[in-house]
mmCIF file of all heavy atoms in Angstrom:
data_model
loop_
_atom_site.group_PDB
_atom_site.id
_atom_site.type_symbol
_atom_site.label_atom_id
_atom_site.label_comp_id
_atom_site.label_asym_id
_atom_site.label_seq_id
_atom_site.Cartn_x
_atom_site.Cartn_y
_atom_site.Cartn_z
ATOM 1 N N ASN A 53 -1.720 -3.980 7.907
ATOM 2 C CA ASN A 53 -1.224 -5.176 8.601
ATOM 3 C C ASN A 53 0.157 -4.941 9.191
ATOM 4 O O ASN A 53 0.467 -5.423 10.286
ATOM 5 C CB ASN A 53 -1.199 -6.368 7.646
ATOM 6 C CG ASN A 53 -2.584 -6.822 7.233
ATOM 7 O OD1 ASN A 53 -3.578 -6.516 7.886
ATOM 8 N ND2 ASN A 53 -2.650 -7.543 6.124
ATOM 9 N N ARG A 54 0.986 -4.206 8.476
ATOM 10 C CA ARG A 54 2.326 -3.917 8.987
ATOM 11 C C ARG A 54 2.277 -2.987 10.197
ATOM 12 O O ARG A 54 3.059 -3.156 11.140
ATOM 13 C CB ARG A 54 3.200 -3.305 7.895
ATOM 14 C CG ARG A 54 3.648 -4.336 6.880
ATOM 15 C CD ARG A 54 4.549 -3.713 5.859
ATOM 16 N NE ARG A 54 5.106 -4.716 4.982
ATOM 17 C CZ ARG A 54 6.232 -4.551 4.313
ATOM 18 N NH1 ARG A 54 6.915 -3.426 4.415
ATOM 19 N NH2 ARG A 54 6.673 -5.503 3.522
ATOM 20 N N VAL A 55 1.380 -2.020 10.182
ATOM 21 C CA VAL A 55 1.232 -1.153 11.360
ATOM 22 C C VAL A 55 0.823 -2.011 12.561
ATOM 23 O O VAL A 55 1.389 -1.876 13.648
ATOM 24 C CB VAL A 55 0.208 -0.021 11.106
ATOM 25 C CG1 VAL A 55 -0.103 0.734 12.394
ATOM 26 C CG2 VAL A 55 0.713 0.945 10.039
ATOM 27 N N LYS A 56 -0.149 -2.896 12.356
ATOM 28 C CA LYS A 56 -0.607 -3.771 13.448
ATOM 29 C C LYS A 56 0.524 -4.657 13.959
ATOM 30 O O LYS A 56 0.610 -4.929 15.151
ATOM 31 C CB LYS A 56 -1.771 -4.642 12.980
ATOM 32 C CG LYS A 56 -3.054 -3.896 12.786
ATOM 33 C CD LYS A 56 -4.142 -4.831 12.274
ATOM 34 C CE LYS A 56 -5.329 -4.042 11.769
ATOM 35 N NZ LYS A 56 -6.308 -4.900 11.082
ATOM 36 N N SER A 57 1.389 -5.123 13.053
ATOM 37 C CA SER A 57 2.473 -6.029 13.469
ATOM 38 C C SER A 57 3.534 -5.309 14.294
ATOM 39 O O SER A 57 4.178 -5.931 15.139
ATOM 40 C CB SER A 57 3.138 -6.674 12.250
ATOM 41 O OG SER A 57 4.087 -5.806 11.661
ATOM 42 N N GLY A 58 3.742 -4.020 14.021
ATOM 43 C CA GLY A 58 4.752 -3.258 14.751
ATOM 44 C C GLY A 58 6.182 -3.506 14.298
ATOM 45 O O GLY A 58 7.100 -2.886 14.805
ATOM 46 N N ARG A 59 6.404 -4.396 13.345
ATOM 47 C CA ARG A 59 7.768 -4.729 12.921
ATOM 48 C C ARG A 59 8.445 -3.615 12.129
ATOM 49 O O ARG A 59 9.674 -3.570 12.059
ATOM 50 C CB ARG A 59 7.777 -5.997 12.077
ATOM 51 C CG ARG A 59 7.575 -7.228 12.909
ATOM 52 C CD ARG A 59 7.887 -8.445 12.078
ATOM 53 N NE ARG A 59 6.632 -9.124 11.803
ATOM 54 C CZ ARG A 59 6.494 -10.127 10.972
ATOM 55 N NH1 ARG A 59 7.536 -10.565 10.304
ATOM 56 N NH2 ARG A 59 5.330 -10.693 10.792
ATOM 57 N N TRP A 60 7.681 -2.758 11.507
ATOM 58 C CA TRP A 60 8.230 -1.674 10.694
ATOM 59 C C TRP A 60 7.923 -0.313 11.314
ATOM 60 O O TRP A 60 8.118 0.708 10.684
ATOM 61 C CB TRP A 60 7.656 -1.722 9.274
ATOM 62 C CG TRP A 60 8.118 -2.909 8.506
ATOM 63 C CD1 TRP A 60 9.235 -2.993 7.713
ATOM 64 C CD2 TRP A 60 7.502 -4.189 8.451
ATOM 65 N NE1 TRP A 60 9.329 -4.243 7.176
ATOM 66 C CE2 TRP A 60 8.273 -5.012 7.618
ATOM 67 C CE3 TRP A 60 6.350 -4.742 9.032
ATOM 68 C CZ2 TRP A 60 7.951 -6.330 7.342
ATOM 69 C CZ3 TRP A 60 6.036 -6.060 8.761
ATOM 70 C CH2 TRP A 60 6.819 -6.839 7.930
ATOM 71 N N GLY A 61 7.420 -0.301 12.513
ATOM 72 C CA GLY A 61 7.029 0.925 13.187
ATOM 73 C C GLY A 61 5.562 0.843 13.579
ATOM 74 O O GLY A 61 4.862 -0.105 13.232
ATOM 75 N N HIS A 62 5.117 1.839 14.318
ATOM 76 C CA HIS A 62 3.750 1.812 14.846
ATOM 77 C C HIS A 62 2.853 2.879 14.233
ATOM 78 O O HIS A 62 1.762 3.118 14.734
ATOM 79 C CB HIS A 62 3.785 1.946 16.374
ATOM 80 C CG HIS A 62 4.484 0.788 17.012
ATOM 81 N ND1 HIS A 62 3.904 -0.446 17.150
ATOM 82 C CD2 HIS A 62 5.736 0.679 17.521
ATOM 83 C CE1 HIS A 62 4.750 -1.269 17.711
ATOM 84 N NE2 HIS A 62 5.878 -0.612 17.954
ATOM 85 N N SER A 63 3.316 3.493 13.167
ATOM 86 C CA SER A 63 2.480 4.477 12.479
ATOM 87 C C SER A 63 2.510 4.185 10.981
ATOM 88 O O SER A 63 3.423 3.512 10.486
ATOM 89 C CB SER A 63 2.993 5.897 12.732
ATOM 90 O OG SER A 63 4.200 6.118 12.017
ATOM 91 N N VAL A 64 1.524 4.681 10.289
ATOM 92 C CA VAL A 64 1.450 4.479 8.847
ATOM 93 C C VAL A 64 2.711 5.021 8.172
ATOM 94 O O VAL A 64 3.333 4.345 7.344
ATOM 95 C CB VAL A 64 0.183 5.142 8.262
ATOM 96 C CG1 VAL A 64 0.194 5.077 6.738
ATOM 97 C CG2 VAL A 64 -1.070 4.506 8.836
ATOM 98 N N CYS A 65 3.106 6.218 8.539
ATOM 99 C CA CYS A 65 4.265 6.835 7.878
ATOM 100 C C CYS A 65 5.561 6.095 8.188
ATOM 101 O O CYS A 65 6.412 5.950 7.301
ATOM 102 C CB CYS A 65 4.362 8.314 8.247
ATOM 103 S SG CYS A 65 2.971 9.271 7.578
ATOM 104 N N SER A 66 5.721 5.595 9.399
ATOM 105 C CA SER A 66 6.949 4.840 9.709
ATOM 106 C C SER A 66 6.993 3.549 8.897
ATOM 107 O O SER A 66 8.065 3.127 8.457
ATOM 108 C CB SER A 66 7.077 4.566 11.205
ATOM 109 O OG SER A 66 6.051 3.729 11.669
ATOM 110 N N VAL A 67 5.853 2.921 8.672
ATOM 111 C CA VAL A 67 5.800 1.708 7.855
ATOM 112 C C VAL A 67 6.113 2.039 6.397
ATOM 113 O O VAL A 67 6.945 1.393 5.761
ATOM 114 C CB VAL A 67 4.414 1.024 7.983
ATOM 115 C CG1 VAL A 67 4.205 -0.016 6.901
ATOM 116 C CG2 VAL A 67 4.247 0.414 9.367
ATOM 117 N N VAL A 68 5.452 3.049 5.864
ATOM 118 C CA VAL A 68 5.624 3.401 4.453
ATOM 119 C C VAL A 68 7.060 3.841 4.165
ATOM 120 O O VAL A 68 7.634 3.483 3.132
ATOM 121 C CB VAL A 68 4.622 4.497 4.037
ATOM 122 C CG1 VAL A 68 4.987 5.116 2.696
ATOM 123 C CG2 VAL A 68 3.206 3.928 4.010
ATOM 124 N N TYR A 69 7.666 4.587 5.081
ATOM 125 C CA TYR A 69 9.001 5.113 4.845
ATOM 126 C C TYR A 69 10.108 4.263 5.460
ATOM 127 O O TYR A 69 11.275 4.661 5.436
ATOM 128 C CB TYR A 69 9.095 6.570 5.322
ATOM 129 C CG TYR A 69 8.328 7.490 4.397
ATOM 130 C CD1 TYR A 69 7.038 7.906 4.716
ATOM 131 C CD2 TYR A 69 8.870 7.893 3.189
ATOM 132 C CE1 TYR A 69 6.321 8.723 3.851
ATOM 133 C CE2 TYR A 69 8.166 8.709 2.322
ATOM 134 C CZ TYR A 69 6.887 9.115 2.657
ATOM 135 O OH TYR A 69 6.188 9.918 1.791
ATOM 136 N N ALA A 70 9.792 3.065 5.955
ATOM 137 C CA ALA A 70 10.832 2.157 6.441
ATOM 138 C C ALA A 70 11.773 1.840 5.278
ATOM 139 O O ALA A 70 11.330 1.664 4.136
ATOM 140 C CB ALA A 70 10.204 0.889 7.004
#
Side-chain angles (χ1 to χ4, degrees):
N53 292 341
R54 285 182 173 204
V55 171
K56 288 178 193 171
S57 81
R59 286 192 251 171
W60 292 270
H62 297 284
S63 72
V64 173
C65 294
S66 65
V67 166
V68 166
Y69 288 98

